[in-house]
Amino acid sequence: MFKGFFEGWYFKHQNKLNTVSIIPGISNSKAFIQVITEDESYNIDFPKEKFFKREESVVINENVFSRKGIKINIKKKDLSIKGEIFYHNLTPLKNDIMGPFRFFPLECRHGIISMYHNLSGEIEINGKVFDFNDGIGYIEKDSGHSFPKSYAWIHSNDFEEKCSVMVAIADIPFLGFHFRGLICSVYCQEKEYIIATYNNGKILKCTREEILICNTTLKLYIRISDIEEKSLYSPISGEMKGIIKESPSCRAQFKFFKNEDLLFDLTSLKTSSEFFGY
């Protein structure tokens, strides 16, 4: 049986110039808020008693995170973050991205709250204003015991058309053995497509520069470049004592096929990515 517990949410905000992702969460011994931009990453710890989880929101001290938006107010010696961002027209998945694996005890569970939504509002970080009016957003969450010992994660939705792509590939300990698990959601042209281990998904290539995955009808190719990483804390046995690297804004090309027909060939300038153990 796994020991320890963590739960964290990933709120991503983008406009044509900037990316700001905010990660509130709870672990065995503390609550926390992590913030990552193209230039910096920040970690702010709070006593567990300052964390409250309600049906539709998470509250940490004076900071509120929900499907309607976020309100943040952090004042430390060398750090000031304040502002509000509102979310409009969320795009949740039709079903749990974990599929049947949601019923099994896993060290880490992944969830998608919104693949794509519109933003209004702004955040100020140490005097720099990030205006997210007419911006776009994405929300996901993780919970469990620890992050996988190796994994790749990609998300992008800053395309010329309304489209969002999330891919996660990870080493999964399961019933005494390990396998490489895959979950991928593609949202485009108001349609949702899933490639996953539980629907015959296959990982044909997975490096820091290229990912190729498919199932019986779908194929997704990603080519990644201009990776510049910032450090974040990650859970190990329910404690935020691991270090991972995230690139909040790299360049990537996405080619997506259905039955060998090209559905889109799109380039992103602000793809978020994490590669751990690769």
Side-chain angles (χ1 to χ4, degrees):
M1 183 64 66
F2 296 125
K3 294 182 179 180
F5 179 78
F6 82 94
E7 190 169 17
W9 293 260
Y10 185 93
F11 294 85
K12 181 178 178 182
H13 315 90
Q14 288 187 306
N15 57 27
K16 293 181 179 179
L17 299 176
N18 298 294
T19 301
V20 176
S21 295
I22 302 177
I23 310 165
I26 185 76
S27 66
N28 283 354
S29 58
K30 63 185 180 182
F32 60 87
I33 298 174
Q34 299 194 80
V35 179
I36 182 168
T37 72
E38 278 101 335
D39 300 317
E40 299 286 346
S41 62
Y42 309 93
N43 178 75
I44 308 96
D45 292 334
F46 298 86
K48 289 182 68 174
E49 295 75 22
K50 297 293 184 179
F51 177 93
F52 298 94
K53 181 181 176 183
R54 304 191 180 108
E55 184 177 349
E56 292 291 332
S57 64
V58 169
V59 179
I60 302 177
N61 205 31
E62 299 178 23
N63 307 281
V64 182
F65 308 88
S66 77
R67 299 179 187 223
K68 296 181 179 179
I70 67 168
K71 181 178 181 179
I72 192 163
N73 185 19
I74 295 172
K75 295 178 182 178
K76 298 290 183 181
K77 181 179 179 182
D78 299 314
L79 179 62
S80 172
I81 306 175
K82 59 183 179 180
E84 285 186 87
I85 302 177
F86 301 94
Y87 304 154
H88 314 278
N89 305 313
L90 271 65
T91 308
L93 296 186
K94 296 175 183 176
N95 298 296
D96 193 317
I97 189 63
M98 296 296 291
F101 287 100
R102 68 187 183 275
F103 299 114
F104 293 91
L106 299 174
E107 68 173 358
C108 186
R109 297 175 180 273
H110 196 76
I112 295 176
I113 297 170
S114 177
M115 287 291 289
Y116 189 106
H117 49 271
N118 304 110
L119 306 177
S120 61
E122 63 183 33
I123 285 182
E124 182 180 319
I125 303 177
N126 285 345
K128 181 178 179 179
V129 176
F130 296 84
D131 184 343
F132 288 109
N133 289 295
D134 300 318
I136 52 175
Y138 168 80
I139 311 171
E140 66 174 35
K141 68 170 293 185
D142 289 289
S143 61
H145 160 266
S146 303
F147 271 9
K149 69 176 184 180
S150 65
Y151 71 91
W153 171 83
I154 304 287
H155 173 262
S156 186
N157 61 1
D158 69 310
F159 302 109
E160 294 181 355
E161 59 186 71
K162 187 176 180 180
C163 179
S164 183
V165 180
M166 189 288 301
V167 178
I169 296 169
D171 176 90
I172 308 295
F174 185 71
L175 301 178
F177 66 96
H178 286 246
F179 69 95
R180 278 214 301 179
L182 163 66
I183 50 175
C184 166
S185 177
V186 176
Y187 173 76
C188 68
Q189 299 175 1
E190 305 296 331
K191 294 182 180 180
E192 173 189 309
Y193 302 90
I194 303 295
I195 305 174
T197 300
Y198 53 81
N199 71 359
N200 297 312
K202 292 180 173 55
I203 305 159
L204 303 180
K205 189 169 188 177
C206 182
T207 69
R208 294 172 66 87
E209 293 79 30
E210 289 183 290
I211 290 177
L212 179 59
I213 59 175
C214 69
N215 62 14
T216 53
T217 58
L218 305 171
K219 182 168 64 175
L220 176 66
Y221 172 75
I222 308 172
R223 185 169 183 84
I224 307 157
S225 59
D226 301 334
I227 298 174
E228 295 185 8
E229 298 175 320
K230 304 292 182 291
S231 296
L232 292 172
Y233 289 98
S234 66
I236 299 175
S237 299
E239 297 289 353
M240 301 299 290
K241 58 185 180 181
I243 298 290
I244 59 173
K245 300 286 187 176
E246 177 174 323
S247 177
S249 188
C250 54
R251 182 184 181 91
Q253 180 186 18
F254 294 79
K255 292 183 179 181
F256 186 56
F257 301 83
K258 182 179 181 181
N259 296 321
E260 301 303 323
D261 295 325
L262 180 65
L263 294 188
F264 64 73
D265 182 350
L266 297 171
T267 298
S268 159
L269 301 180
K270 295 188 175 300
T271 291
S272 302
S273 68
E274 295 175 9
F275 292 89
F276 183 76
Y278 281 83

